[in-house]
Amino acid sequence: MSTYLLVHGAWHSGQCWERVVPFLAAAGHRVVAPSLTGYGDKARLLGPEVGLDTHVDDIVGLITEEDLTDVVLVGHSYAGLAISSAANQIPERIAQLVYLDAMVPEDGENAVDVMPISQALIDLAVQSGSGWRVPPLPEGPPPLGLFGVTDPSDVAWLRTMLSDQPVRCLQQPVHLDNPAVRTIPRTHIHCTSGVPEGVVRRPVPALQPNGTPAQVWELPTGHDCMITMPGELAELLLKLG
């Protein structure tokens, strides 16, 4: 049995994994899908002091307090940064790192380095007068939709779990200075539909940091595949457990 720790991306909450969890649990695995500080049941904690380091502490704290081991650590979108730094702190507890349509950083990089369009979001927060709150991206026409979700009922459900993103999350750097983190196997899952203009995905190297061939899968759907293709996503994840 493995433990799947599913980490949501920017603006979302742990509720976004609601359709994926039953598939993994039915296969006999433990599944944990928390909301990070500032989202879901922790929305009251949202503030300008919340940053990437806060969310890394959330993940590391949960793993250590629950004494989780053999963890398949899945990070969606922005959470690719958070799972990287978390694994750097506790590599001995992580069995796999899964970057789900996610930012994949190098040591010392932040969201702007990995995805330069993030600077436009920071500029938007400054222009809005708040200085630290980045609102969720607006819904676009199909196939863009709301984070790649186009079904009206799914869009309505998704809206209930969205909150503003603190600018600090996009500015703090990732730490990958522990040599042991390079030994953790990585998997990359790309969503191939409805990629917004200006979003350029950094190519995955042919070899993982541990020297083994990179493992890359694709899902023919939009960014929030946990909502649009939960069964197919779970099937891919179960290949790792």
Short mmCIF file of all heavy atoms in Angstrom, two decimals, residues 8-13 39 76-79 147 162-165 170:
data_model
loop_
_atom_site.label_atom_id
_atom_site.label_comp_id
_atom_site.label_asym_id
_atom_site.label_seq_id
_atom_site.Cartn_x
_atom_site.Cartn_y
_atom_site.Cartn_z
N HIS A 8 -2.97 20.52 -4.24
CA HIS A 8 -3.63 21.36 -5.24
C HIS A 8 -2.76 22.54 -5.65
O HIS A 8 -1.81 22.92 -4.96
CB HIS A 8 -4.97 21.87 -4.69
CG HIS A 8 -4.83 22.77 -3.50
ND1 HIS A 8 -4.56 24.13 -3.61
CD2 HIS A 8 -4.92 22.54 -2.16
CE1 HIS A 8 -4.51 24.67 -2.41
NE2 HIS A 8 -4.71 23.73 -1.51
N GLY A 9 -3.12 23.14 -6.77
CA GLY A 9 -2.38 24.27 -7.29
C GLY A 9 -2.93 25.61 -6.81
O GLY A 9 -3.76 25.68 -5.90
N ALA A 10 -2.44 26.67 -7.42
CA ALA A 10 -2.84 28.03 -7.06
C ALA A 10 -4.35 28.22 -7.19
O ALA A 10 -4.98 27.66 -8.08
CB ALA A 10 -2.10 29.04 -7.95
N TRP A 11 -4.89 28.98 -6.27
CA TRP A 11 -6.29 29.38 -6.25
C TRP A 11 -7.26 28.27 -5.83
O TRP A 11 -8.38 28.55 -5.44
CB TRP A 11 -6.74 29.93 -7.62
CG TRP A 11 -5.97 31.12 -8.07
CD1 TRP A 11 -5.95 32.37 -7.51
CD2 TRP A 11 -5.09 31.19 -9.20
NE1 TRP A 11 -5.12 33.20 -8.21
CE2 TRP A 11 -4.57 32.51 -9.25
CE3 TRP A 11 -4.70 30.27 -10.16
CZ2 TRP A 11 -3.68 32.92 -10.23
CZ3 TRP A 11 -3.81 30.68 -11.14
CH2 TRP A 11 -3.31 31.99 -11.17
N HIS A 12 -6.86 27.03 -5.91
CA HIS A 12 -7.74 25.90 -5.64
C HIS A 12 -7.73 25.51 -4.15
O HIS A 12 -7.06 26.13 -3.34
CB HIS A 12 -7.34 24.70 -6.49
CG HIS A 12 -7.57 24.87 -7.95
ND1 HIS A 12 -7.05 25.92 -8.68
CD2 HIS A 12 -8.27 24.13 -8.85
CE1 HIS A 12 -7.42 25.82 -9.95
NE2 HIS A 12 -8.16 24.74 -10.08
N SER A 13 -8.47 24.47 -3.83
CA SER A 13 -8.43 23.87 -2.50
C SER A 13 -8.33 22.36 -2.66
O SER A 13 -8.46 21.82 -3.77
CB SER A 13 -9.69 24.23 -1.69
OG SER A 13 -10.81 23.48 -2.15
N TYR A 39 -6.64 28.39 1.79
CA TYR A 39 -7.63 27.81 0.89
C TYR A 39 -8.54 26.83 1.62
O TYR A 39 -8.16 26.26 2.64
CB TYR A 39 -6.91 27.08 -0.27
CG TYR A 39 -5.96 28.00 -0.99
CD1 TYR A 39 -4.62 28.01 -0.66
CD2 TYR A 39 -6.43 28.91 -1.93
CE1 TYR A 39 -3.74 28.89 -1.27
CE2 TYR A 39 -5.57 29.80 -2.54
CZ TYR A 39 -4.23 29.78 -2.22
OH TYR A 39 -3.37 30.67 -2.81
N HIS A 76 -0.03 19.62 -8.40
CA HIS A 76 -0.69 20.16 -9.59
C HIS A 76 -0.30 21.62 -9.79
O HIS A 76 -0.36 22.42 -8.86
CB HIS A 76 -2.21 20.04 -9.44
CG HIS A 76 -2.98 20.60 -10.59
ND1 HIS A 76 -3.87 21.64 -10.44
CD2 HIS A 76 -3.01 20.26 -11.90
CE1 HIS A 76 -4.41 21.93 -11.61
NE2 HIS A 76 -3.90 21.10 -12.52
N SER A 77 0.13 21.96 -11.00
CA SER A 77 0.36 23.35 -11.39
C SER A 77 1.40 24.02 -10.48
O SER A 77 2.53 23.55 -10.38
CB SER A 77 -0.99 24.09 -11.37
OG SER A 77 -0.91 25.33 -12.04
N TYR A 78 1.02 25.10 -9.80
CA TYR A 78 1.92 25.80 -8.88
C TYR A 78 2.53 24.86 -7.83
O TYR A 78 3.67 25.06 -7.40
CB TYR A 78 1.14 26.94 -8.20
CG TYR A 78 1.62 27.32 -6.82
CD1 TYR A 78 2.72 28.15 -6.64
CD2 TYR A 78 0.95 26.85 -5.68
CE1 TYR A 78 3.16 28.51 -5.36
CE2 TYR A 78 1.37 27.21 -4.40
CZ TYR A 78 2.49 28.04 -4.25
OH TYR A 78 2.90 28.38 -2.98
N ALA A 79 1.78 23.84 -7.45
CA ALA A 79 2.26 22.94 -6.39
C ALA A 79 3.49 22.14 -6.81
O ALA A 79 4.13 21.51 -5.96
CB ALA A 79 1.16 21.99 -5.95
N PHE A 147 -9.70 27.12 -16.11
CA PHE A 147 -8.62 26.16 -15.86
C PHE A 147 -8.83 24.87 -16.67
O PHE A 147 -8.56 23.77 -16.19
CB PHE A 147 -8.50 25.84 -14.37
CG PHE A 147 -8.13 27.04 -13.53
CD1 PHE A 147 -9.08 27.71 -12.80
CD2 PHE A 147 -6.82 27.49 -13.50
CE1 PHE A 147 -8.74 28.83 -12.04
CE2 PHE A 147 -6.46 28.60 -12.75
CZ PHE A 147 -7.42 29.27 -12.02
N LEU A 162 -12.41 28.30 -5.31
CA LEU A 162 -11.33 29.20 -5.71
C LEU A 162 -11.18 30.37 -4.76
O LEU A 162 -12.16 30.96 -4.30
CB LEU A 162 -11.58 29.72 -7.13
CG LEU A 162 -11.63 28.67 -8.24
CD1 LEU A 162 -11.87 29.35 -9.58
CD2 LEU A 162 -10.36 27.84 -8.28
N SER A 163 -9.92 30.71 -4.45
CA SER A 163 -9.59 31.86 -3.61
C SER A 163 -8.44 32.62 -4.27
O SER A 163 -7.78 32.10 -5.17
CB SER A 163 -9.15 31.43 -2.21
OG SER A 163 -10.13 30.66 -1.56
N ASP A 164 -8.20 33.86 -3.83
CA ASP A 164 -7.07 34.63 -4.34
C ASP A 164 -5.75 33.96 -3.96
O ASP A 164 -5.66 33.25 -2.95
CB ASP A 164 -7.10 36.05 -3.80
CG ASP A 164 -8.24 36.88 -4.37
OD1 ASP A 164 -8.89 36.41 -5.32
OD2 ASP A 164 -8.48 38.00 -3.86
N GLN A 165 -4.72 34.23 -4.75
CA GLN A 165 -3.38 33.69 -4.50
C GLN A 165 -2.46 34.81 -4.03
O GLN A 165 -2.35 35.84 -4.68
CB GLN A 165 -2.82 33.08 -5.80
CG GLN A 165 -1.42 32.53 -5.69
CD GLN A 165 -1.39 31.11 -5.17
OE1 GLN A 165 -2.41 30.58 -4.73
NE2 GLN A 165 -0.24 30.47 -5.23
N LEU A 170 4.42 33.33 -5.55
CA LEU A 170 5.06 33.36 -6.86
C LEU A 170 6.47 33.91 -6.82
O LEU A 170 7.21 33.82 -7.81
CB LEU A 170 4.21 34.20 -7.83
CG LEU A 170 2.73 33.81 -7.93
CD1 LEU A 170 1.99 34.78 -8.85
CD2 LEU A 170 2.56 32.39 -8.42
#
